[in-house]
Amino acid sequence: MKEPAAVIEYGVPIDPRIMIEPPDPATLELEPGHPGLGDAGYVRRRMELFMQCRRHRLENLGPPLIEYTSEENRIWREVSPKLDELHRQHACSIYLDAKDALGISATEIPQLRLLSDRLERETQMHLVPAEGPLAYRTFYSYIAKRGFPVTQFIRHGSHPEFTPEPDMIHDCLGHVPPLMNRDYAEVLTLIGKAAFTSPDPLQVLALKRFSWFSIEFGLIEEAGETKVFGAGILSSTGEIPFSLFSREVKRRPFVTDEVIETDYDPSRMQDQLFIIPSFVWLRREIEGLVRRMGIAV
Ligand SMILES: [Fe+2]
């Protein structure tokens, strides 16, 4: 059997098998420096939601209905209007139209079960409860089947504007709204199918980078202006102005062959971004890339 090619991610070589069969954490892990670490009540709540969401995911039960605490709703209420103000000014139209159509409340944490039902009716996408970040290949195995994994916990209240891991604010205010758009749903599903089907770790890495610099951290050209497209930027009050205006950020035209060769560090503010000429163009690019890779989807 052919020796797998070397895979470099985040600047370090990784075992190529991790790309294809990554381990899924079975217990809650809060990384060192997580703002909730010293707070026993927060850790208990996270454990409870972890177990509940993991069970619902593994048993295909759909998102559980969660009774959110007043502290959790307070954090939502503090962050979502600030994000909304920034979205009105800087988000791309695909996102804004979808956000308005979905009507997520700024005062109460939405129930994923209800959002999922709505998406199912509009674009045949649905939401899958995720206990935390899932391994990349697991994540895309759901997307390939038109399911988007979303968390049901919220960040720690001591730093409402910061989360070291994707939480409900990132997922519901970044990823979920554009799932209402049919073209967006098709682009995402195609990336998912290709990444889940390919046996080649280097192809999986290339698709992961394509997704990172578009779905997560893409900027897009719209009527002569640069707008925010990626969920990672749209869900952060710091990242929106940083991505558009900081002199520390290198903004380059989105050239697929360059994007798939570009490494990134997910643990810091993104100082290298690509500007997508249009959404129609992005759809053609991913279709062309998957075809060139020879992946049968
Ligand atoms: Fe994300």
Side-chain angles (χ1 to χ4, degrees), residues 73-265:
N73 275 308
R74 180 193 71 75
I75 299 164
W76 179 268
R77 235 171 264 143
E78 185 171 334
V79 182
S80 55
K82 286 184 192 156
L83 277 175
D84 194 60
E85 207 182 311
L86 288 163
H87 291 161
R88 300 289 146 201
Q89 295 173 60
H90 303 301
C92 65
S93 58
I94 280 194
Y95 176 85
L96 280 178
D97 292 349
K99 188 181 187 190
D100 289 341
L102 199 54
I104 294 178
S105 161
T107 53
E108 234 174 75
I109 301 182
Q111 290 293 341
L112 294 186
R113 170 94 64 93
L114 305 181
L115 292 178
S116 184
D117 291 347
R118 177 79 197 280
L119 291 170
E120 184 97 54
R121 289 197 298 275
E122 301 284 340
T123 55
Q124 287 80 53
M125 295 294 291
H126 62 277
L127 304 180
V128 175
E131 61 271 31
L134 300 178
Y136 181 75
R137 187 101 147 170
T138 312
F139 183 75
Y140 274 102
S141 71
Y142 288 108
I143 294 186
K145 291 176 276 181
R146 305 187 77 84
F148 196 91
V150 279
T151 51
Q152 294 203 263
F153 64 86
I154 201 155
R155 59 197 59 185
H156 192 257
S158 61
H159 292 278
E161 272 149 45
F162 166 77
T163 175
E165 76 242 286
D167 70 341
M168 281 203 74
I169 291 176
H170 170 73
D171 285 334
C172 286
L173 296 176
H175 284 294
V176 171
L179 299 175
M180 289 282 280
N181 181 290
R182 280 169 201 281
D183 292 316
Y184 185 94
E186 295 318 312
V187 166
L188 198 64
T189 312
L190 180 57
I191 297 175
K193 282 184 186 162
F196 181 59
T197 311
S198 173
D200 179 347
L202 286 175
Q203 286 187 345
V204 177
L205 180 63
L207 290 160
K208 191 173 174 182
R209 287 174 175 162
F210 186 96
S211 175
W212 178 265
F213 287 112
S214 56
I215 301 294
E216 284 290 345
F217 279 91
L219 297 173
I220 196 163
E221 204 70 41
E222 219 174 69
E225 270 188 277
T226 302
K227 296 285 186 178
V228 179
F229 177 75
I233 307 176
L234 288 167
S235 56
S236 162
T237 50
E239 203 95 39
I240 294 174
F242 186 77
S243 71
L244 292 172
F245 309 118
S246 170
R247 296 168 82 122
E248 289 167 42
V249 180
K250 217 202 269 167
R251 297 168 201 86
R252 292 194 276 155
F254 194 104
V255 176
T256 298
D257 286 345
E258 284 174 30
V259 167
I260 64 176
E261 292 295 329
T262 304
D263 210 0
Y264 58 88
D265 178 353

